[in-house]
Amino acid sequence: RLQGARIEAYEKMVARLTCAGDVSAAFRYVEMAKARVMVEMLAGRSVKPAADIPAEWMTRLHVLRAELDELYQSPPDAASETRTRIAEREAQLNDLRARIRLRHPEFDSLQTVSPLTLEEVQTRLPVDVLLLEYFIAGETIYVFWITATEARIETLPLTRAQLQRAFEKTAD
């Protein structure tokens, strides 16, 4: 798994938001996780920041990410204080990324992902279309049921391992 700890943080946040019934936010984190993996696959390497990006900015970037990773792993029923801290850290991270983007757009493009929101996806869907999107987090498989007018998320009644076994070749 690419950037295992970071992707695992996204997975835990999706689990937390699913338990809270926040389909839109869960979708956002699924899309961020998928976009992150894709960017890393396309980059195929770590991109070093340009020399004109202050070292303290890079340190702060890593600190904010680590704090968010920890906060995302809080129990789904965590206090509103935790949700407030997440929102604050995400805002700080977005501000810092904006400053970095001005100095080094290439580095930023391989660090930041901006996928479509659930609402943006819904506005692009024809009225008679159902979009199913799957996301595997650990052993749990989530499915989003999205139409132009509604969205829901469910946990499938099978695990990753069960799904993998269903597609294994059997000896004849």
Side-chain angles (χ1 to χ4, degrees), residues 1 11 136-141 158-164:
R1 288 167 61 171
E11 291 173 354
I136 299 175
E139 284 297 310
T140 306
I141 303 172
L158 77 152
T159 65
R160 173 196 297 253
Q162 291 169 326
L163 181 63
Q164 286 173 325

Side-chain angles (χ1 to χ4, degrees), residues 20-162:
D22 192 339
V23 177
S24 183
F27 183 82
R28 176 174 160 241
Y29 282 94
V30 164
E31 292 301 302
M32 287 174 20
K34 288 180 177 185
R36 166 61 40 215
V37 169
M38 184 169 187
V39 164
E40 289 171 2
M41 287 173 47
L42 290 172
R45 60 182 167 76
S46 281
V47 177
K48 302 264 188 235
D52 63 340
I53 296 177
E56 60 269 12
W57 289 12
M58 296 309 301
T59 300
R60 183 68 181 147
L61 182 71
H62 294 296
V63 167
L64 286 169
R65 284 184 177 153
E67 288 176 0
L68 281 167
D69 287 349
E70 186 176 318
L71 288 167
Y72 291 159
Q73 296 180 45
S74 302
D77 59 349
S80 64
E81 177 184 317
T82 300
R83 292 189 297 274
T84 301
R85 288 178 59 209
I86 288 171
E88 289 170 353
R89 296 308 183 278
E90 286 178 342
Q92 292 169 2
L93 185 60
N94 289 335
D95 289 345
L96 179 57
R97 285 176 173 163
R99 285 186 276 155
I100 291 171
R101 186 178 311 116
L102 292 173
R103 295 243 180 134
H104 195 334
E106 178 191 7
F107 174 75
D108 178 70
S109 72
L110 294 173
Q111 297 295 311
T112 307
V113 293
S114 301
L116 294 175
T117 65
L118 176 60
E119 295 74 18
E120 290 169 329
V121 169
Q122 287 181 294
T123 62
R124 289 169 169 81
L125 284 176
V127 175
D128 58 346
V129 171
L130 168 66
L131 172 68
L132 297 176
E133 180 165 346
Y134 297 89
F135 183 70
I136 299 175
E139 284 297 310
T140 306
I141 303 172
Y142 298 97
V143 62
F144 288 87
W145 302 70
I146 305 168
T147 68
T149 58
E150 66 179 288
R152 70 180 200 258
I153 184 172
E154 293 182 19
T155 303
L156 294 184
L158 77 152
T159 65
R160 173 196 297 253
Q162 291 169 326

